[in-house]
Amino acid sequence: MSICLLISKNGRHKPIHLPHLQTVVLGRSPETTIKDKKCSREQVELKADCNKGYISVKQLGFNPTSVDSEVVGKGNQVEMRSGQQLHMVNELYPYTVCFKEDPSNSQSSVSTKRPCGPASEEREFHREPPGHKVPRKTEDSTQCKHGGSTSTNTRPEPQTTEKTETLGYWSQGLKASMQDPKMQVYKDDRVVVIMDKYPKAHYHWLVLPWESIPSLKTLHRGHCDLLRHMNQVADRIVQQQCPDAGLLHFRQGYHAIPSMSHVHLHVISQDFDSPCLKNKKHWNSFTTDYFIESQEVIQMLEKDGKVTVKEGTNELLKLPLCCHVCGMALSTIPQLKEHLKSHPYGRL
DNA sequence: GTTCTAGAAC
DNA sequence: GTTCTAGAAC
């Protein structure tokens, strides 16, 4: 399959990879180098169809995005093909689209992928631009599946003995993402932090242990230290990567019944300003008791040696929409999103 | 987890 | 007619 590249015509930055059928939101951010306030941080939503050879361009921002001088219009969507020109906003910041053969399809490129994880005690931060709301997906989700034949690093490999944990199923996606250097924001000998692939707020990271822990049910008292460390790492990420950390409210916690396998701590800003937040389930999973505070999980482990999820927790996802800050009831997701603009920092 | 889409709600 | 949700499929 070919890959899709969005190329800045005036060479402002390197080409942006648009993964096949994956929504990518671009706008004013370090990634595009656009600082123009007329350009929203979420100006356009792009989705490439590498099979059909076009990208869908949806204007999210208020000011006009255009394709070949034709304004898309807020909320509208058009198709753009090779040879056409996208202007991010106000007929400025031109881009072209290019479909070309994926060089990573060759076997040699797979074997030269990053050997999994850092050496023991290694700690490093990768400062990714937070404005890029949908991090690019790995070109090869099977990378590191076998640890890399030449790897000499000492980090414990994920357990691959359980047949049910075969990579490739959608619910196993985190295992691939956490191994992908492009997704990693921080890693040390115990944990890795990645940006959520479909962030539900302006800032949304996942902290995952290298140790294979399928779910909250598998946690025991011996994991308390690890969970405390995950919390500390999360605190540091927020401080280091979020310039609004003083104003913007954050929460750290776990979904009671997560869809994705492998224990992951959500670190999420409470603005919930994201095009990826689309439905009631998304909303209630972060704003009801379906979201269990990290401290509460640690306390349960310390006290009971296990995490207990209350009966009926799944029903919380069906609750009526209700503002997490002021409690106001909203009848639809669009109305909720409009209301959330009155709480930009996620608190009163 | 997401995407797609039928049909409910407006 | 359009918007929005919710369930199936992946």
Side-chain angles (χ1 to χ4, degrees):
Chain A
M1 186 193 292
S2 60
I3 60 168
C4 179
L5 295 174
L6 190 70
I7 300 163
S8 170
K9 277 199 83 176
N10 45 24
R12 293 170 63 93
H13 55 82
K14 61 184 182 185
I16 294 171
H17 178 207
L18 303 177
H20 179 56
L21 294 183
Q22 191 171 329
T23 302
V24 173
V25 176
L26 294 176
R28 170 166 44 94
S29 76
E31 180 165 37
T32 60
T33 73
I34 298 172
K35 293 176 180 169
D36 183 348
K37 288 282 174 64
K38 295 282 171 58
C39 182
S40 168
R41 283 183 292 204
E42 292 163 10
Q43 181 63 35
V44 290
E45 185 180 281
L46 305 173
K47 188 160 75 173
D49 189 323
C50 297
N51 292 333
K52 294 175 181 167
Y54 68 82
I55 57 175
S56 297
V57 179
K58 184 176 183 183
Q59 180 185 324
L60 302 177
F62 181 78
N63 290 312
T65 293
S66 49
V67 173
D68 282 350
S69 306
E70 194 143 329
V71 171
V72 177
K74 184 169 165 58
N76 295 338
Q77 193 164 309
V78 299
E79 288 177 9
M80 175 184 172
R81 294 177 182 273
S82 287
Q84 289 189 290
Q85 187 163 280
L86 167 76
H87 281 107
M88 191 67 81
V89 71
N90 289 337
E91 298 194 42
L92 298 169
Y93 318 109
Y95 288 89
T96 53
V97 60
C98 167
F99 290 92
K100 65 175 191 178
E101 276 310 300
D102 183 359
S104 69
N105 278 345
S106 67
Q107 284 193 339
S108 60
S109 69
V110 172
S111 62
T112 56
K113 292 280 186 186
R114 169 186 170 271
C116 302
S120 184
E121 299 306 321
E122 178 189 358
R123 283 163 197 229
E124 39 180 86
F125 280 87
H126 303 284
R127 289 171 186 273
E128 288 286 331
H132 187 248
K133 306 292 276 192
V134 183
R136 293 175 295 283
K137 191 173 145 186
T138 174
E139 291 87 357
D140 174 14
S141 62
T142 61
Q143 68 177 298
C144 298
K145 187 172 169 181
H146 308 295
S149 57
T150 58
S151 174
T152 54
N153 77 67
T154 55
R155 181 185 55 70
E157 289 296 322
Q159 301 299 304
T160 52
T161 49
E162 292 173 56
K163 284 183 181 172
T164 53
E165 286 193 20
T166 310
L167 289 171
Y169 298 112
W170 61 260
S171 62
Q172 307 297 320
L174 284 179
K175 296 185 207 305
S177 294
M178 64 189 281
Q179 304 286 349
D180 181 356
K182 289 196 286 294
M183 305 288 279
Q184 295 167 347
V185 178
Y186 168 90
K187 61 191 175 188
D188 62 25
D189 57 325
R190 284 187 281 176
V191 302
V192 60
V193 182
I194 60 173
M195 290 191 284
D196 193 294
K197 200 177 272 186
Y198 299 91
K200 303 303 183 295
H202 198 86
Y203 298 93
H204 188 180
W205 295 285
L206 304 178
V207 185
L208 304 106
W210 290 118
E211 180 185 343
S212 181
I213 306 173
S215 72
L216 293 180
K217 283 182 194 165
T218 341
L219 288 170
H220 54 74
R221 195 170 269 113
H223 286 122
C224 284
D225 258 355
L226 175 63
L227 267 56
R228 279 191 282 267
H229 178 63
M230 288 165 68
N231 250 8
Q232 287 166 3
V233 167
D235 287 338
R236 285 213 301 274
I237 292 289
V238 170
Q239 291 304 318
Q240 293 187 10
Q241 307 246 343
C242 174
D244 296 334
L247 282 170
L248 190 55
H249 187 41
F250 276 81
R251 287 184 78 198
Q252 300 178 14
Y254 301 84
H255 279 156
I257 308 162
S259 301
M260 307 295 280
S261 185
H262 200 106
V263 156
H264 51 285
L265 173 66
H266 288 272
V267 184
I268 184 164
S269 57
Q270 297 295 294
D271 51 278
F272 293 112
D273 173 16
S274 167
C276 298
L277 195 153
K278 293 177 176 173
N279 57 47
K280 182 180 274 188
K281 185 176 172 183
H282 290 155
W283 179 251
N284 284 333
S285 73
F286 288 101
T287 60
T288 67
D289 287 342
Y290 194 91
F291 187 84
I292 311 175
E293 287 278 349
S294 170
Q295 293 296 348
E296 196 182 326
V297 169
I298 294 170
Q299 282 165 15
M300 271 193 264
L301 284 180
E302 286 172 339
K303 183 166 163 281
D304 310 324
K306 63 178 181 179
V307 178
T308 312
V309 172
K310 291 181 192 126
E311 209 173 312
T313 297
N314 245 329
E315 299 307 304
L316 297 174
L317 297 176
K318 298 172 188 166
L319 286 173
L321 299 173
C322 182
C323 174
H324 65 314
V325 175
C326 68
M328 183 174 174
L330 286 310
S331 51
T332 66
I333 289 288
Q335 284 171 24
L336 171 69
K337 288 190 168 228
E338 193 57 35
H339 172 79
L340 289 178
K341 291 177 183 170
S342 63
H343 305 302
Y345 298 113
R347 62 167 117 214
L348 285 171

